[in-house]
Amino acid sequence: MAVIKAFRGYRPLAERAKAVASRPYDVLNSQEARAEAAGNPDSFLHVVKPEIDLPEGHPPYDQAVYEKGRDNFRRMIEEGLFSQDERPSLYIYRQEMDGQGQSGLLAAAAVQDYVDGVIKKHELTRPDKEADRKNHVRVSRMNAEPVFFTYPAVAEIDAIVEEVEQGDPIYDFTAGDDIRHTLWVVDDADTVAQLEQLFADRVPATYVADGHHRTAAAALVGADLAAENDQHTGAEDYNFFMAVHFPDNQLRIIDYNRVVKDLNGLSESEFMDALSRSFDIASSDTAYKPDQLHTFGMYLNGKWYGLTAHNGTYDDSDPIGVLDVTILSKQILEPILGIQDLRTDKRIEFVGGIRGLGELEKRVDSGEMAVAFALYPVSMQQLIDIADSGFIMPPKTTWFEPKLRSGLVVYTFPE
């Protein structure tokens, strides 16, 4: 069963929380982060994307980058922007986007649960990204950003969360992207104990929705520090990491699309001919957004096409074989475009559906990319079924919106 734990989080001043709260480190490149944080010394991008405070072109994985993030957070504490809660607390974090809300329980999750498979994953991680997040956590001695977890909804937990939300929040603001973020602090000892016990009794597993690299990094740091501590007991703060736990019936997954730099030496006609062996192809006068499984949008040379996979190119009885990302890989990316490893091949990039199909057109029309593919999103049930079965989805399969804002709560562990 799942373990959660209250902790004494560091939080920003209420009147400056909106200025502090930033988008996560992995949805912005360094150039975008520099622009977004310009003129705002409170932005938490100075902590999670600290290369923005170093000369342009500075190696992103250099030790100085991690030290800069640590020092920037220490400055924020010294200046009184952040302070630590007096009592171990849990936090209710609610987000509202396009009329839909989701409320999660922000708590410390257990590294041992990840080791034991109670925290379940559905994606493989890239070693370079794991190392990056590990170094950031190890040098700064904190989880600057929470991981995004989901769990099978429990009515008793929902009831407590709803009751807390009747009270006054500590933060309530709408960010520049029109997403509302609201946070309540739960520091009543009885309520904290009740929520911790409900997870221990009623939640058999939690699932990494977004943040596989941060979760893996927390486990790596925990293992390293345990090995270095002759007095290790398992109760130390480094044995835990910060996560927001959302009930599965409140979340939605949107599409996660692909763009490819070239046609692998094929002419356009040769490429289309190869596609026709596995798909019915229909031209479209407008941007083609798939509305059901096993259909794809494709943008090539200024034109949109709808692709429908032939019977036999997928296996609806197989939790992996049924996925459209699998069909795309097995029928197009690998045999036609020569992309064998989505985690390492530099010829393919991934575009979250929140950017819209116009972003796919932009990337192709600019000449940066040759072809784009729009996919139908996977379902929450598919994610859970795959994680429960021990299978792994292809990389970059799920995109959750809204994203968690960074800097509202920070989990630290001392030297």
Side-chain angles (χ1 to χ4, degrees):
M1 306 300 281
V3 172
I4 64 166
K5 188 182 80 162
F7 65 96
R8 294 177 60 213
Y10 274 89
R11 296 186 294 103
L13 293 169
E15 63 269 23
R16 292 162 72 180
K18 181 176 179 178
V20 169
S22 73
R23 290 193 283 168
Y25 86 99
D26 55 350
V27 303
L28 295 164
N29 61 34
S30 296
Q31 183 177 3
E32 291 169 332
R34 285 179 191 274
E36 193 154 308
N40 181 11
D42 291 353
S43 173
F44 210 63
L45 289 171
H46 295 288
V47 177
V48 297
K49 297 286 286 186
E51 67 270 19
I52 67 176
D53 294 323
L54 297 171
E56 288 197 48
H58 194 96
Y61 300 154
D62 185 68
Q63 180 77 2
V65 174
Y66 308 115
E67 293 173 352
K68 189 65 175 175
R70 175 199 62 199
D71 295 344
N72 283 342
F73 185 59
R74 289 177 177 175
R75 169 186 60 79
M76 292 175 174
I77 295 174
E78 291 168 0
E79 293 176 352
L81 177 57
F82 276 81
S83 61
Q84 190 173 27
D85 286 323
E86 294 182 358
R87 294 188 292 273
S89 303
L90 300 171
Y91 307 86
I92 306 301
Y93 181 9
R94 181 168 177 82
Q95 301 172 294
E96 295 178 29
M97 173 182 170
D98 297 335
Q100 178 175 327
Q102 57 191 40
S103 296
L105 184 63
L106 193 158
V111 165
Q112 193 60 46
D113 277 357
Y114 183 70
V115 174
D116 293 341
V118 175
I119 297 172
K120 300 189 178 187
K121 59 186 180 181
H122 65 268
E123 288 186 8
L124 295 174
T125 52
R126 289 174 50 177
D128 59 334
K129 297 295 186 181
E130 276 190 20
D132 170 48
R133 290 301 91 189
K134 175 185 174 182
N135 290 335
H136 182 77
V137 173
R138 183 71 190 261
V139 171
S140 64
R141 306 288 290 201
M142 65 178 174
N143 297 140
E145 301 178 292
V147 183
F148 191 133
F149 280 5
T150 188
Y151 67 94
V154 176
E156 292 89 341
I157 297 174
D158 291 345
I160 295 173
V161 169
E162 291 171 6
E163 183 177 354
V164 171
E165 290 180 340
Q166 299 307 307
D168 294 331
I170 196 71
Y171 307 136
D172 188 358
F173 63 89
T174 299
D177 53 7
D178 294 328
I179 298 172
R180 184 180 178 184
H181 302 266
T182 314
L183 189 87
W184 292 262
V185 178
V186 182
D187 59 5
D188 173 73
D190 290 341
T191 305
V192 166
Q194 187 178 6
L195 285 167
E196 291 176 338
Q197 193 62 50
L198 278 168
F199 263 75
D201 292 343
R202 301 291 306 279
V203 179
T206 58
Y207 301 82
V208 182
D210 192 6
H212 284 81
H213 290 98
R214 280 168 281 169
T215 305
L220 291 170
V221 171
D224 283 355
L225 295 180
E228 295 168 12
N229 183 2
D230 292 338
Q231 306 301 316
H232 173 78
T233 66
E236 296 86 356
D237 289 338
Y238 58 72
N239 294 291
F240 299 86
F241 61 100
M242 185 169 60
V244 184
H245 302 73
F246 289 96
D248 60 348
N249 58 5
Q250 295 186 20
L251 300 183
R252 63 173 177 173
I253 305 174
I254 65 174
D255 45 308
Y256 209 160
N257 303 313
R258 277 85 166 113
V259 288
V260 180
K261 291 182 181 296
D262 58 67
L263 298 183
N264 197 29
L266 299 174
S267 67
E268 183 177 333
S269 61
E270 289 171 333
F271 176 65
M272 296 292 282
D273 182 61
L275 282 181
S276 67
R277 298 166 196 162
S278 299
F279 299 88
D280 291 331
I281 305 172
S283 59
S284 176
D285 294 333
T286 59
Y288 188 92
K289 187 175 181 64
D291 59 2
Q292 60 183 322
L293 281 173
H294 311 332
T295 61
F296 306 80
M298 183 180 73
Y299 188 68
L300 174 68
N301 195 20
K303 298 179 182 178
W304 277 99
Y305 300 88
L307 310 180
T308 302
H310 292 166
N311 290 333
T313 61
Y314 50 86
D315 182 356
D316 284 342
S317 66
D318 179 351
I320 299 296
V322 70
L323 297 176
D324 285 345
V325 289
T326 302
I327 299 171
L328 184 71
S329 290
K330 297 301 183 184
Q331 303 300 326
I332 301 177
L333 299 181
E334 294 175 13
I336 300 175
L337 295 177
I339 296 172
Q340 305 298 325
D341 189 340
L342 297 181
R343 294 193 300 156
T344 60
D345 198 306
K346 303 301 184 184
R347 295 171 52 230
I348 187 169
E349 295 184 12
F350 307 90
V351 180
I354 193 67
R355 293 179 177 264
L357 297 183
E359 179 68 14
L360 302 184
E361 295 177 353
K362 176 183 173 182
R363 299 288 294 275
V364 174
D365 290 344
S366 69
E368 176 194 5
M369 297 291 171
V371 62
F373 299 97
L375 284 75
Y376 187 71
V378 302
S379 69
M380 180 60 65
Q381 191 58 53
Q382 284 177 316
L383 183 154
I384 289 175
D385 288 346
I386 288 170
D388 283 344
S389 67
F391 291 120
I392 296 295
M393 287 183 178
K396 306 298 184 183
T397 298
T398 57
W399 183 279
F400 286 86
E401 285 289 347
K403 297 291 186 184
L404 305 176
R405 285 273 157 164
S406 300
L408 297 180
V409 183
V410 178
Y411 177 83
T412 63
F413 45 95
E415 297 285 348

